Amino acid sequence: MDFRSVDSASRKEIRKRAIKQINSGVQKKKVAMMYGVNPNTITNWVKKHKKRRD
């Protein structure tokens, strides 16, 4: 799957799933590979998510 090739609503859902997986202990590298993004992208998503929660 290439994250860039999906619509906006699907991207939002993918971000949610990725963050849930990270929070449950799945490695960033593995999550990044599943969704076709760079591991640094996953890090950014998690940081933004934490910032919104604070």
Side-chain angles (χ1 to χ4, degrees), residues 22-48:
I22 293 298
N23 289 339
S24 69
V26 181
Q27 292 179 337
K28 276 190 287 186
K29 188 175 182 179
K30 197 172 205 175
V31 174
M33 285 178 24
M34 287 192 298
Y35 296 114
V37 298
N38 188 291
N40 292 333
T41 301
I42 300 295
T43 299
N44 292 336
W45 292 351
V46 171
K47 284 180 182 178
K48 286 179 184 179

Side-chain angles (χ1 to χ4, degrees), residues 14-23 31 35 42 45:
I14 289 169
R15 286 184 193 105
K16 284 182 186 179
R17 289 183 198 166
I19 289 167
K20 283 183 182 180
Q21 290 174 319
I22 293 298
N23 289 339
V31 174
Y35 296 114
I42 300 295
W45 292 351

